[in-house]
Amino acid sequence: MKGESFRNRRNGFETVDGGAAGNPAGGPKKKNGGKIAGIVIAVIAILFLASNSAYEIKEKEQAVLITLGRAQAVTEPGLHFKIPFIQQVKKVNTTIQGFTIGYNPDTNESDNDESLMITSDFNFIDVDFFVEYRYSDPVKVLYASEDPLEILRNISQSCIRAVISNYSVDDVLTTGKNEIQAAIRELILTRLEQQDIGVQLVNITIQDSEPPTVEVMEAFKAVETAKQGKETALNNANKYRNEQIPMAQAEADRIIKEAEAQKTERINEALAQVARFNAMYAEYIKNPTVTKQRMFYEAMEDILPGLKVIIESSNGSTQTFYPLESFTNPSGSSFDNGNSAGESSPSGGTGSSSAGGSPSAGNDSSAVGSNASAGNGSSSADGSSLTAGY
């Protein structure tokens, strides 16, 4: 039956039972199963193509969209679409990253091949650096070089050694670190601009610098301690100077002011004496004899303090001439009118004296020519006796 059915189909005829005898299990069920499998495969293919046609760029990322070998940078974050199997996407991290030079950050051990350098004064020194960078152009990062990070490392080491060789070991260890870092950074930026590999240097810092051996390290520490002592001594000296200079200036100002005050006082005193002398000279021109007598009595008062001059007139009466007795205490001094020796009166022939205590000018007597001799009965307030005669 099966052979007949096959021959009929080959000759273009159909069997009477519609081929039911040749498909006893039922043909329509088999056809329905094939349709379901095709639908499932189509859905899976569509989902695969949909998932492969979209990609997301995060905030600190950039992407490179490759279309049949042609690269294009995609810098805007968010969801983007591409043609599956025709376009490819490669992402680049644009955050600031870093690497070390001269030591291993995991074990914190020094790498002498990278850290050991020579300075301008032919000293060896270990210097560790940390380099910070970021990818600025994702297309150049992927296609301008095979390994841009390795190129940056080699450029950094070359620039570091070139700059360190121009500085002394003291500068590298102490005061010249900032200047060295700035010089290295400028040199690396220049080299990266020439290479144009899509990498940007952010910063480079010296992590540590020290001599290669313990003995040299101790010697440098001693030198550094001495420098700090020097700075301390200089600061103390400057402090003392700043304290003493204002005090000295104040003392100098005080001395100058006192000298100027004494100068003004002496000038005024000299001017007063000149004015007094001129006044006395004017009076002397008017009455030479009286002025001479007055000057004589004043000189005698200065030479013999407390001296009293007793003048006896021609009629035998006596009178105190200089100094004048106090009107409030007329009995302050005593003398004996009757016991005075024969004194010569400086007055003229009348023997009278003026009311003010100044004797009138005589005919031929003067203060310079008067004679003072010790008497028997006349005594001054201090016990001395004086008689004036002519």
Side-chain angles (χ1 to χ4, degrees), residues 60-296:
K60 295 182 179 180
E61 287 182 343
Q62 290 184 4
V64 178
L65 183 62
I66 305 170
T67 305
L68 299 177
R70 181 179 179 182
Q72 179 183 0
V74 181
T75 59
E76 295 181 359
L79 185 63
H80 298 268
F81 296 93
K82 66 182 181 66
I83 303 174
F85 305 109
I86 297 177
Q87 292 181 328
Q88 296 179 357
V89 176
K90 293 184 179 180
K91 297 180 182 180
V92 177
N93 186 6
T94 58
T95 58
I96 297 177
Q97 306 176 64
F99 60 86
T100 60
I101 295 177
Y103 70 100
N104 188 344
D106 297 330
T107 61
N108 202 22
E109 294 181 356
S110 179
D111 185 0
N112 291 331
D113 294 337
E114 294 182 352
S115 64
L116 188 61
M117 304 178 191
I118 188 170
T119 60
S120 62
D121 50 358
F122 304 104
N123 286 305
F124 288 98
I125 187 171
D126 283 332
V127 188
D128 302 332
F129 289 87
F130 186 78
V131 181
E132 296 176 283
Y133 68 95
R134 61 183 296 269
Y135 295 123
S136 58
D137 192 334
V139 176
K140 293 180 181 179
V141 168
L142 294 175
Y143 296 103
S145 61
E146 183 178 358
D147 191 351
L149 188 59
E150 186 66 23
I151 294 175
L152 176 60
R153 177 182 290 272
N154 294 333
I155 290 176
S156 300
Q157 292 184 11
S158 174
C159 295
I160 288 171
R161 295 182 184 277
V163 174
I164 292 293
S165 63
N166 294 329
Y167 287 85
S168 64
V169 65
D170 291 336
D171 294 334
V172 179
L173 289 174
T174 57
T175 59
K177 291 183 178 180
N178 293 331
E179 184 178 352
I180 292 172
Q181 291 175 173
I184 294 173
R185 185 174 185 273
E186 292 297 326
L187 190 56
I188 293 176
L189 289 175
T190 302
R191 296 282 297 277
L192 285 177
E193 185 177 357
Q194 295 174 356
Q195 296 294 328
D196 195 18
I197 57 176
V199 180
Q200 179 184 1
L201 178 68
V202 177
N203 193 17
I204 181 169
T205 56
I206 297 177
Q207 297 296 103
D208 191 15
S209 59
E210 58 184 9
T213 60
V214 177
E215 293 79 5
V216 178
M217 186 181 302
E218 293 296 331
F220 275 108
K221 288 182 179 180
V223 172
E224 185 64 22
T225 302
K227 288 182 178 179
Q228 293 178 358
K230 172 186 174 182
E231 294 295 332
T232 302
L234 289 175
N235 293 334
N236 293 334
N238 291 329
K239 178 183 177 182
Y240 179 77
R241 180 189 65 181
N242 295 332
E243 291 176 352
Q244 295 299 320
I245 288 179
M247 294 175 60
Q249 290 177 347
E251 183 67 16
D253 293 339
R254 185 187 65 80
I255 294 174
I256 291 174
K257 295 297 182 183
E258 289 183 356
E260 291 178 350
Q262 292 180 2
K263 170 186 174 182
T264 303
E265 181 182 358
R266 293 198 176 188
I267 289 175
N268 294 334
E269 183 179 357
L271 293 175
Q273 291 179 358
V274 170
R276 178 174 174 272
F277 179 80
N278 291 333
M280 291 177 61
Y281 183 72
E283 295 298 327
Y284 175 79
I285 294 299
K286 297 177 182 178
N287 299 303
T289 304
V290 176
T291 305
K292 287 180 181 180
Q293 292 176 353
R294 184 74 180 184
M295 292 174 66
F296 171 75

Side-chain angles (χ1 to χ4, degrees), residues 2 68 84 95 101 264 300-301 304 340 371:
K2 290 182 179 179
L68 299 177
T95 58
I101 295 177
T264 303
M300 292 301 295
E301 183 185 29
L304 300 175
S340 61
N371 298 322

